[in-house]
Amino acid sequence: MLGPIYKDFNAKHIIDLPRLLSYILKTLWQSVVLLLALLCKRRSHHVLVQNPPAIPTLAVCWLYCLVARANLIIDWHNYGYSILALNLGDRHSLVRLSHWFEGYFGARAHANLCVTKAMKTDLLKKWGIG
């Protein structure tokens, strides 16, 4: 159902835009496509999402879970903000926004899975996610 819409989108159009604007447009596009995909399928009782990517995945899946009365489960493999910081630097506003975003939506998950005990300890220490 989403195939024709998605195929018509050409990412080359946003490459020439300033980086921040292209991030915003890409995030909006991904949000719409993901939300439509979630809403057009049979209702889920649980949504398991791998992190990263965090933006917009965590917010869109959280919103779907709120509407569908489903449980959000995050499978933490890394932090999206730390990967973003590799390109933009630790102090960049998008990195700080991403850090807040992951903590905010991560704390709202019904359950969290971690790939290592170190990740579990870090989530608890950083955001109180246990």
Side-chain angles (χ1 to χ4, degrees):
M1 181 170 186
L2 294 175
I5 296 170
Y6 187 74
K7 286 179 187 174
D8 290 340
F9 181 75
N10 190 342
K12 288 188 276 184
H13 297 296
I14 64 171
I15 291 174
D16 296 331
L17 297 174
R19 183 180 285 184
L20 180 60
L21 184 57
S22 67
Y23 284 154
I24 292 169
L25 291 175
K26 180 180 177 182
T27 301
L28 289 173
W29 176 254
Q30 290 173 335
S31 298
V32 168
V33 170
L34 178 56
L35 188 58
L36 285 173
L38 289 169
L39 292 173
C40 290
K41 64 167 197 59
R42 189 171 54 105
R43 180 184 170 269
S44 298
H45 296 284
H46 307 283
V47 175
L48 176 63
V49 61
Q50 179 179 317
N51 188 58
I55 299 175
T57 311
L58 295 182
V60 173
C61 290
W62 173 81
L63 178 63
Y64 170 81
C65 287
L66 190 67
V67 170
R69 295 186 180 151
N71 294 314
L72 177 62
I73 304 164
I74 302 174
D75 182 13
W76 295 88
H77 286 252
N78 203 334
Y79 296 119
Y81 80 87
S82 65
I83 295 170
L84 190 59
L86 295 174
N87 289 329
L88 301 176
D90 291 340
R91 297 186 180 271
H92 196 280
S93 58
L94 288 177
V95 174
R96 291 187 305 220
L97 175 66
S98 181
H99 182 275
W100 172 84
F101 190 91
E102 284 182 273
Y104 182 83
F105 288 104
R108 279 149 184 75
H110 293 90
N112 293 279
L113 307 172
C114 299
V115 293
T116 64
K117 289 182 181 180
M119 183 74 163
K120 179 181 177 182
T121 302
D122 195 52
L123 278 170
L124 186 59
K125 181 177 144 191
K126 190 174 295 214
W127 293 313
I129 296 172

